[in-house]
Amino acid sequence: MQKIANYIDGSLQEPTSNNYLENINPAIGKVYSLCPDSDETDVELAYQAAKAAFPEWSNMSANNRSKILLKLADLIEQNIDKLAIAESIDQGKPVWLAKLGEIPRAVENIHFFATAIEHFASESHSMGSHAINYTLRTPIGVVGCISPWNLPLYLFTWKIAPALAAGNCVVAKPSEVTPMTAYLFSELCIEAGLPKGVLNIVHGLGGKVGSAIVAHPGISVISFTGGTKTGAEIARVAAPMFKKLSLELGGKNPNIIFADCNFDKAVAESVRSSFSNQGEICLCGSRIFIEKPIYEKFKAAFIEKSKAMKVGNPLLDDTKIGAIASQLHFDKVLGYIDLAKEEGGTILLGGHPVKLDGENADGYFIAPTIIEGLAYNCRTNLEEIFGPVVTLTPFETQEEVLEMANATQYGLAATVWTENLNTAHHMAAQIKSGIVWINCWLLRDLRTPFGGMKQSGVGREGGWEALRFFTEQKNVCIKF
Ligand code: NDP
């Protein structure tokens, strides 16, 4: 059975304990590889390697760092097919989605920050004829990056690319649920000539490896993407150590459909924003609010389109919904469907696991699920489910829908469908979320600030924000 290795000090290494975790292919429900069950000893080795690599990497010209990172981006691009298949097997997503979306985005992430660093500059503040201030922005040192299982390589590279481009060295932990593409990525780092110790990838459990990174006294910056509860735990440990934190957390995003919308587009994109990647995208719109005059019409069209989505083997091109990433998560999503029923919801579509034939018979598949008749403030409508489950709720006025949309503890993203400019501006201003999409979904420009309000996060990633986060500022004041 294939054994995944840690990537420490430029080489592929076994965990010091020699213990491994079973890595399961969620579409067949069976172990297919072994993931290092690393611990704080491996994190310490990774830290020491990163610390030793820091002086040379941080002193290298931005142009030379950029060249190495661009080579890495090229190598990912040359290996898109291999990485997409690996991601699909490891995570359960349809392979075409990994090939069209996730892996190309990993290329873009690295390309974007490798080129951005060559244009990154800092400010100066003149005090007329008697003094000038200038701000130095320098790499910080060894930083920790922790990422989740839903978009494994995409979110992993989204963090490490700005950290490395800015001149830091990294100790990173991908999710133990989906370690494969980070492992394949480490092989590409070696091939690209990334100097040893600059990036170290330690595989294993959050409670062991993740917490050792967060608690390490030498790692003063933590960039984390994952659940809100884990984010709170990380903040609890990191705050008394005065670590710099970026937290990208959960979401429960509203998707608001006004009667004057472009109906066909709103329906088609709502299907995508509800069920892409099995609904396991933090930006999916899981609460659909529909203006009363078109409620029944929208409901019928939405159900019809969703019904046509094939749940199947992720490796087949006609599969629209693949497997849920793990047994644990599969049980959690089904538990929420039971809760919705208990809370008085009516299941309009799905609401059950899907049993496939052949080698997929034990896979973790759930039918796209549409529920109506729930109060906007019941648990099903307030808590993050993170699966192929959405609720439909009618509304009459802008004030009413704003109250419902803003009712959760989350504030990551929102989508609004309307052809009325005033409505669009009013909603964009009043919705409490870090991102508002008008008449589109998941349209991303990597220069824009990305992150959540309320309990969806702290800080923003993307563009200059990320490069600022991964650098330290120092003001120098010179009197003439
Ligand atoms: P988790 O919070 O469970 O885990 C995220 C990462 O943190 C994993 O690598 C995990 O390790 C690790 N971890 C777990 N416990 C600790 C700890 N105590 N200290 C340090 N690290 C720890 O999230 P999921 O992996 O379940 O991902 C789903 C969540 O991520 C959803 O809530 C989703 O909304 C959110 N998310 C947010 C995004 C955003 O941009 N805002 C984007 C994508 C997802 P391991 O799993 O290996 O044990």
Side-chain angles (χ1 to χ4, degrees):
M1 184 156 310
Q2 184 182 9
K3 270 187 182 169
I4 286 169
N6 287 332
Y7 171 52
I8 297 177
D9 205 16
S11 70
L12 301 175
Q13 300 185 8
E14 296 198 336
T16 46
S17 66
N18 215 16
N19 291 334
Y20 284 85
L21 302 159
E22 293 184 331
N23 187 28
I24 290 169
N25 173 341
I28 59 173
K30 290 191 177 56
V31 180
Y32 84 103
S33 62
L34 297 173
C35 169
D37 182 9
S38 313
D39 57 30
E40 70 273 12
T41 313
D42 304 287
V43 171
E44 185 57 33
L45 289 174
Y47 169 73
Q48 292 300 340
K51 191 178 161 202
F54 179 70
E56 199 175 330
W57 181 249
S58 58
N59 283 325
M60 192 183 272
S61 69
N63 179 255
N64 282 341
R65 282 201 300 270
S66 174
K67 275 185 194 149
I68 295 171
L69 292 173
L70 288 174
K71 198 163 171 201
L72 188 52
D74 284 347
L75 284 170
I76 301 176
E77 198 158 27
Q78 287 161 26
N79 285 278
I80 280 185
D81 286 353
K82 178 179 168 186
L83 289 163
I85 291 168
E87 199 75 291
S88 172
I89 291 172
D90 213 29
Q91 203 272 343
K93 68 184 71 232
V95 68
W96 59 262
L97 187 64
K99 210 181 279 185
L100 282 179
E102 180 163 347
I103 309 300
R105 174 58 194 276
V107 177
E108 275 174 47
N109 288 341
I110 297 181
H111 191 274
F112 178 84
F113 286 109
T115 49
I117 196 63
E118 296 207 77
H119 305 268
F120 190 47
S122 59
E123 308 80 24
S124 72
H125 299 91
S126 162
M127 297 173 78
S129 60
H130 69 283
I132 188 165
N133 297 272
Y134 63 87
T135 307
L136 287 174
R137 280 195 174 272
T138 47
I140 300 173
V142 180
V143 305
C145 297
I146 302 174
S147 52
W149 51 255
N150 64 322
L151 301 168
L153 194 63
Y154 173 135
L155 289 171
F156 186 75
T157 50
W158 180 236
K159 292 194 170 306
I160 63 164
L164 294 173
N168 302 285
C169 291
V170 175
V171 177
K173 192 198 96 65
S175 172
E176 142 268 330
V177 178
T178 52
M180 187 55 85
T181 45
Y183 167 62
L184 297 174
F185 178 77
S186 55
E187 293 183 335
L188 299 180
C189 289
I190 294 169
E191 198 179 333
L194 190 69
K196 66 177 192 167
V198 165
L199 171 65
N200 304 274
I201 303 175
V202 186
H203 294 275
L205 295 167
K208 271 177 162 177
V209 175
S211 55
I213 293 172
V214 174
H216 197 292
I219 301 177
S220 58
V221 176
I222 302 290
S223 174
F224 169 80
T225 298
T228 293
K229 241 173 115 180
T230 316
E233 169 61 14
I234 288 173
R236 190 188 66 75
V237 175
M241 300 172 85
F242 303 105
K243 296 196 178 198
K244 200 172 183 187
L245 279 182
S246 168
L247 302 174
E248 296 294 338
L249 309 176
K252 185 76 179 175
N253 310 308
N255 176 13
I256 302 170
I257 321 282
F258 282 93
D260 67 3
C261 69
N262 179 324
F263 186 81
D264 293 341
K265 263 196 198 157
V267 173
E269 278 296 281
S270 294
V271 171
R272 206 168 74 83
S273 68
S274 301
F275 302 121
S276 285
N277 206 46
Q278 302 73 244
E280 297 163 334
I281 302 180
C282 54
L283 304 164
C284 277
S286 53
R287 296 179 294 147
I288 308 182
F289 298 104
I290 306 144
E291 202 173 4
K292 261 203 177 138
I294 61 158
Y295 183 82
E296 291 301 330
K297 184 180 167 197
F298 182 92
K299 177 171 114 180
F302 183 67
I303 291 174
E304 193 186 316
K305 266 207 181 305
S306 305
K307 205 189 275 179
M309 298 191 89
K310 186 182 158 205
V311 179
N313 180 346
L315 295 175
L316 299 179
D317 281 343
D318 63 344
T319 290
K320 292 288 183 286
I321 298 185
I324 301 294
S326 68
Q327 167 96 56
L328 192 71
H329 195 56
F330 174 78
D331 292 341
K332 178 185 156 187
V333 174
L334 291 177
Y336 269 108
I337 294 173
D338 288 342
L339 175 71
K341 289 182 205 156
E342 279 164 30
E343 290 186 317
T346 303
I347 309 286
L348 301 172
L349 182 72
H352 53 76
V354 175
K355 189 90 182 150
L356 298 181
D357 296 330
E359 69 159 4
N360 298 115
D362 294 326
Y364 316 134
F365 298 93
I366 298 180
T369 297
I370 305 171
I371 306 169
E372 74 169 354
L374 287 167
Y376 76 92
N377 54 0
C378 68
R379 279 184 57 204
T380 308
N381 267 328
L382 296 183
E383 297 176 16
E384 185 181 42
I385 300 174
F386 212 53
V389 180
V390 295
T391 62
L392 307 186
T393 308
F395 71 90
E396 287 186 77
T397 65
Q398 291 187 20
E399 280 54 49
E400 183 191 12
V401 77
L402 279 169
E403 189 185 333
M404 298 195 287
N406 288 333
T408 74
Q409 60 169 342
Y410 298 109
L412 187 55
T415 307
V416 177
W417 292 92
T418 179
E419 295 292 296
N420 184 312
L421 200 57
N422 291 331
T423 307
H425 282 300
H426 180 60
M427 298 302 287
Q430 298 300 322
I431 290 174
K432 292 191 171 57
S433 68
I435 302 154
V436 180
W437 277 296
I438 310 283
N439 298 329
C440 58
W441 177 72
L442 207 54
L443 186 55
R444 292 276 295 117
D445 180 325
L446 303 191
R447 294 169 299 180
T448 60
F450 178 90
M453 291 185 182
K454 301 196 278 184
Q455 295 192 18
S456 284
V458 176
R460 294 291 182 272
E461 296 183 335
W464 302 133
E465 300 285 337
L467 293 176
R468 289 192 186 113
F469 175 76
F470 283 115
T471 48
E472 190 67 272
Q473 296 186 63
K474 184 191 286 173
N475 189 66
V476 179
C477 178
I478 304 174
K479 192 168 184 313
F480 301 143

